[in-house]
């Protein structure tokens, strides 16, 4: 799996030392991950490791053993208070100094996946300059709040009046945006059900999330597609920017509210369009007809 992950088309690959590793295999997994990182060779632009959470006996050792020049970020699971992030931040600072790495160069991705974590999401998001993203962990979250149902991220049987995850997803999204972090949705465990993955990915992408974990190569292309704007939306966003730019210019009469087709556009429309264009450009889209 480690070997295969090197050639995958995901934006980020992280190697797991936490819940996908049995307690008796933690030491072996740590050594394997450290060796793989020293070798490097990933196509993904970001490479990370998910360490064990601070309530275990493994976290410090995980971090000490895996920090090397090939590591871009540490995924910290079960973050329940800002202290969890601060503790990792301090440890990373020492390790960066010890290894001659630029201070602050290793990022932190914090998983919010419990009632406590969700309540503290805003303070967690403000805890360190190293933070890059908040990540929703649906499996642990369902366990934490005693949500009925064993299918991760699926609506719990009996709840038919809305989306049982809306509050958690939105709280994390707002906390992330308030602190200029990315918001990432967690895993979909039924790896053979690609339609189920697509359905869930579309849900968080529609809310504004930047991406979603993938557990299997089959989920990658769908994730990349779902989290990029459609060509149609991208073209329309570019059109809004061009029309708004022209109307607000001196030549255009300095008009801040104009009609574009059947729709009135103004400064807020520009901001919305900027989001779509930025995501589209990051995904490699170009306006239809552009050279
Ligand atoms: C991921 O870690 C989850 O708990 O869903
Ligand atoms: Mg989890």
């Amino acid at each position: 799996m480690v070997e295969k992950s090197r050639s995958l088309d995901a934006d980020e690959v992280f190697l797991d030392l936490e819940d996908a590793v049995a307690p008796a295999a933690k030491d072996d997994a740590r050594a394997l991950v450290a060796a793989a990182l020293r070798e490097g060779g990933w196509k993904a632009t970001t490479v990370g490791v998910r360490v064990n959470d601070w309530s275990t006996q493994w976290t410090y050792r995980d971090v000490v053993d895996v920090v090397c020049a090939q590591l871009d970020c540490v995924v910290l699971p079960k973050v329940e208070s800002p202290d969890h992030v601060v503790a990792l931040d301090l440890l990373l600072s020492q390790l960066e100094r010890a290894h001659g790495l630029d201070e602050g160069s290793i990022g932190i991705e914090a998983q919010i996946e419990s009632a406590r974590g969700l309540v503290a999401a805003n303070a967690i998001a403000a805890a360190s300059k190293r933070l890059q993203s908040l990540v929703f962990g649906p499996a642990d979250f369902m366990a934490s709040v005693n949500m009925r149902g064993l299918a991760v991220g699926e609506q719990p049987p009996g709840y038919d009046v809305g989306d049982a995850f809306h509050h958690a997803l939105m709280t994390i999204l707002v906390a992330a945006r308030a602190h200029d972090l990315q918001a990432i949705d967690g895993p979909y465990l039924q790896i053979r059900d690609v339609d189920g993955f697509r359905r869930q990915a579309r849900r968080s992408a529609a809310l504004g999330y930047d991406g979603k974990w993938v557990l299997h190569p089959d989920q990658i292309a769908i994730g990349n597609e779902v989290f990029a704007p459609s060509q149609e939306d991208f073209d329309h966003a570019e059109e809004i920017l061009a029309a708004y730019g022209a109307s607000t210019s001196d030549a255009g009469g300095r008009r801040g509210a104009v009609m574009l087709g059947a729709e009135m556009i103004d400064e807020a429309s520009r901001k919305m369009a900027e989001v779509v264009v930025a995501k589209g450009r990051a995904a490699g889209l170009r306006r239809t007809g552009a050279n």
Side-chain angles (χ1 to χ4, degrees), residues 203-216:
R203 178 187 71 184
S204 49
L207 272 186
Y209 272 64
D210 300 292
K212 180 171 176 64
W213 280 10
V214 290
L215 297 177
H216 188 276

Side-chain angles (χ1 to χ4, degrees), residues 6 13 15 17 30-42 45-49 51 60-74 88 91-107 130:
R6 289 194 163 96
V13 167
L15 306 174
L17 296 176
R30 191 189 289 129
L32 198 138
V33 163
L37 286 172
R38 279 193 295 273
E39 237 176 85
W42 277 274
T45 44
T46 305
V47 177
V49 172
V51 297
Y60 79 97
R61 190 67 199 275
D62 291 346
V63 180
V64 169
D65 283 11
V66 304
V67 167
C68 67
Q70 307 280 358
L71 184 74
D72 299 306
C73 68
V74 173
L88 178 58
L91 185 51
L92 286 172
S93 292
Q94 288 207 337
L95 288 164
E96 284 166 345
R97 253 174 260 151
H99 290 287
L101 302 171
D102 288 345
E103 195 160 334
S105 57
I106 299 176
R130 291 180 189 275

Side-chain angles (χ1 to χ4, degrees), residues 12 14-19 48-56 58-64 66 71-92 106-114 117 124-125 127-128 130-137 140 172 184 213:
E12 171 172 349
F14 76 82
L15 306 174
D16 192 19
L17 296 176
E18 201 223 12
D19 281 356
V49 172
R50 179 165 73 166
V51 297
N52 288 282
D53 78 88
W54 281 119
S55 71
T56 69
W58 298 300
T59 321
Y60 79 97
R61 190 67 199 275
D62 291 346
V63 180
V64 169
V66 304
L71 184 74
D72 299 306
C73 68
V74 173
V75 181
L76 185 63
K78 300 180 181 59
V79 177
E80 304 213 313
S81 78
D83 304 5
H84 287 178
V85 176
V86 172
L88 178 58
D89 182 321
L90 293 172
L91 185 51
L92 286 172
I106 299 176
I108 297 176
E109 303 184 1
Q111 276 191 275
I112 307 281
E113 43 184 352
S114 65
I124 289 168
S128 163
R130 291 180 189 275
L131 273 170
Q132 295 174 342
S133 59
L134 298 184
V135 184
F136 178 50
D140 274 300
I172 291 169
I184 306 294
W213 280 10

Side-chain angles (χ1 to χ4, degrees), residues 160-237:
D160 55 8
V161 290
D163 178 358
F165 298 96
H166 179 78
H167 172 70
L169 284 169
M170 203 57 176
T171 302
I172 291 169
L173 176 65
V174 169
R177 291 288 176 252
H179 298 280
D180 295 327
L181 305 178
Q182 293 198 346
I184 306 294
D185 191 12
Y188 185 69
L189 280 75
Q190 295 174 51
I191 54 174
R192 309 265 170 254
D193 182 1
V194 288
D195 292 334
F197 175 81
R198 184 188 299 274
R199 184 169 26 82
Q200 285 206 356
R202 289 178 76 154
R203 178 187 71 184
S204 49
L207 272 186
Y209 272 64
D210 300 292
K212 180 171 176 64
W213 280 10
V214 290
L215 297 177
H216 188 276
D218 288 350
Q219 297 177 332
I220 295 175
I222 303 172
N224 284 339
E225 178 202 314
V226 170
F227 283 91
S230 67
Q231 184 70 49
E232 193 186 345
D233 284 352
F234 181 77
D235 286 346
H236 186 49

